[in-house]
Amino acid sequence: MVKKLFIFIISSLCFAFGLKAQTDNGIGRICLNPYIPESEGLGEQSYSMLISKLQQIATIGGMSGAGFDNRFIITAHVQKIKSSQTETIPQKNTVHLNIGIYVGDGLDGILFSSYMSENKGIGNSEDQAMAYAIKNINAAQPQLQEAIALGKQRILDYYNKIADGIINTASASASAGNYDEAVNMLFSIPMTNGKYETAQVLIAQYASKSLENKNMTLIRKAYSAWNTNQTEQGAADASEILEGVQAPSTKIQSEVTKLQKEISSRLKTESDREYQLRTKEQQNAHDKQMAAIKAAASVAKTYAASRPKVIYRHMWW
């Protein structure tokens, strides 16, 4: 009976996750990370405009969002063909730029696709003129989006080759207790990949174990807060800590109830906080599943953001 219940919960989690994945940015999608190296030497305005333009290009190509794998980049290389000043009053700066836009594997330095564009701009400074030239790039230009589509297909081909390896590595990380790391790896497998559903099942399992560990840590902190100060203030501190519990399992609920009874016995009363927390525990199964999924995605994004800054190798291909 317990085994059947476990299978049902995991299946429900995956179904709910599949629905949510289609609406959340980055989940189950291939995402390109806009990247401009410092070596470009761009001014503040032109740099900001170029990052914005690369994001716009990726968005039109369906490849924007906060993804879980930062190895794939959309980048650009700007070359000045001509730069001059007008003879008008006030004087203006004009530029003629050759802008190369590239999609590739920034970690291995592999170019997937590219597009070249020549653009002119005018402004009160050379930086402003360059920003206007960059702004004039048509992000929806068919040849440009064809290059983006080609890059996307090559990324999908890449995942088709390594999906089994990702799952094996993630499983090994989970076996070592590194559930957040494992979940982050599995989130990178896109919806179109044949191993996507397998990855979702594992995400549900590892996310549940990760949450269980985090919830137990909160319970220990709550016990410590109460044991340190067995007064109404100590009870309030413990209850506040317990409010951080997410998608509690039967074991976690039992531990929370045990502490609540101990507090109530000591203080001869139950606080409103405890009643509210008990109500929260009695949420329906769907709400608990969605909470677990949301927490897993949040943990994965936080984990990805905390990793060392990626050093991309591009050499302007």
Side-chain angles (χ1 to χ4, degrees):
M1 181 65 183
V2 173
K3 183 177 181 181
K4 288 182 178 179
L5 179 60
F6 176 77
I7 293 173
F8 170 77
I9 291 173
I10 293 299
S11 299
S12 299
L13 270 170
C14 294
F15 175 72
F17 179 82
L19 294 176
K20 190 173 178 62
Q22 297 177 41
T23 58
D24 278 7
N25 278 343
I27 301 177
R29 295 171 54 190
I30 297 295
C31 297
L32 292 176
N33 298 278
Y35 167 72
I36 303 297
E38 294 181 3
S39 60
E40 280 298 281
L42 297 176
E44 183 177 344
Q45 293 183 67
S46 52
Y47 174 85
S48 178
M49 182 60 70
L50 188 51
I51 286 291
S52 177
K53 182 61 65 172
L54 293 178
Q55 185 65 51
Q56 182 185 13
I57 293 168
T59 298
I60 292 175
M63 302 181 70
S64 65
F68 298 91
D69 192 342
N70 56 6
R71 72 179 301 128
F72 301 112
I73 61 175
I74 178 169
T75 185
H77 180 43
V78 179
Q79 294 177 301
K80 280 185 285 187
I81 298 175
K82 184 179 179 180
S83 176
S84 62
Q85 294 181 319
T86 67
E87 297 180 358
T88 60
I89 298 176
Q91 197 172 56
K92 297 286 185 178
N93 289 265
T94 64
V95 294
H96 184 186
L97 306 179
N98 183 41
I99 305 170
I101 298 173
Y102 307 92
V103 173
D105 183 333
L107 297 186
D108 288 342
I110 301 173
L111 173 66
F112 290 161
S113 61
S114 64
Y115 172 81
M116 304 301 295
S117 176
E118 286 192 18
N119 297 85
K120 297 178 179 180
I122 185 170
N124 294 326
S125 65
E126 185 177 80
D127 183 29
Q128 188 181 69
M130 291 179 67
Y132 277 119
I134 293 167
K135 184 179 181 180
N136 288 332
I137 297 173
N138 181 4
Q141 211 276 342
Q143 285 82 4
L144 172 53
Q145 285 302 319
E146 285 175 8
I148 300 302
L150 175 60
K152 183 175 183 178
Q153 185 56 54
R154 293 196 63 182
I155 293 172
L156 292 174
D157 292 341
Y158 165 84
Y159 277 113
N160 286 338
K161 292 178 181 178
I162 69 164
D164 284 326
I166 291 176
I167 289 173
N168 291 337
T169 302
S171 297
S173 293
S175 295
N178 300 320
Y179 299 116
D180 292 349
E181 182 180 66
V183 166
N184 187 72
M185 292 179 193
L186 294 167
F187 266 126
S188 70
I189 296 178
M191 285 184 188
T192 54
N193 189 275
K195 298 294 182 180
Y196 178 75
E197 293 302 328
T198 300
Q200 303 319 297
V201 172
L202 293 176
I203 285 172
Q205 293 178 8
Y206 300 156
S208 295
K209 292 178 180 178
S210 178
L211 276 176
E212 188 81 356
N213 291 342
K214 291 178 173 62
N215 286 339
M216 281 304 301
T217 297
L218 289 174
I219 288 173
R220 294 189 190 98
K221 289 182 178 179
Y223 265 105
S224 178
W226 167 245
N227 289 331
T228 300
N229 181 18
Q230 293 189 356
T231 65
E232 289 188 2
Q233 182 58 53
D237 292 340
S239 291
E240 184 176 355
I241 293 170
L242 290 177
E243 286 176 358
V245 170
Q246 300 181 64
S249 65
T250 301
K251 178 181 178 181
I252 295 299
Q253 290 175 338
S254 175
E255 290 294 330
V256 170
T257 300
K258 179 181 176 182
L259 177 55
Q260 288 176 337
K261 287 181 177 179
E262 181 179 322
I263 292 173
S264 297
S265 176
R266 175 73 176 181
L267 300 179
K268 306 298 183 184
T269 184
E270 281 195 351
S271 70
D272 289 339
R273 276 180 172 275
E274 292 171 344
Y275 175 75
Q276 291 167 1
L277 182 61
R278 185 172 296 118
T279 301
K280 179 181 176 181
E281 289 169 359
Q282 293 172 351
Q283 290 174 329
N284 62 44
H286 177 266
D287 288 342
K288 291 179 182 179
Q289 291 161 8
M290 296 308 292
I293 292 165
K294 183 178 180 180
S298 176
V299 165
K301 285 179 183 279
T302 301
Y303 176 83
S306 69
R307 295 170 70 183
K309 185 177 179 180
V310 174
I311 299 176
Y312 293 117
R313 296 185 292 174
H314 47 81
M315 302 303 292
W316 299 124
W317 290 311

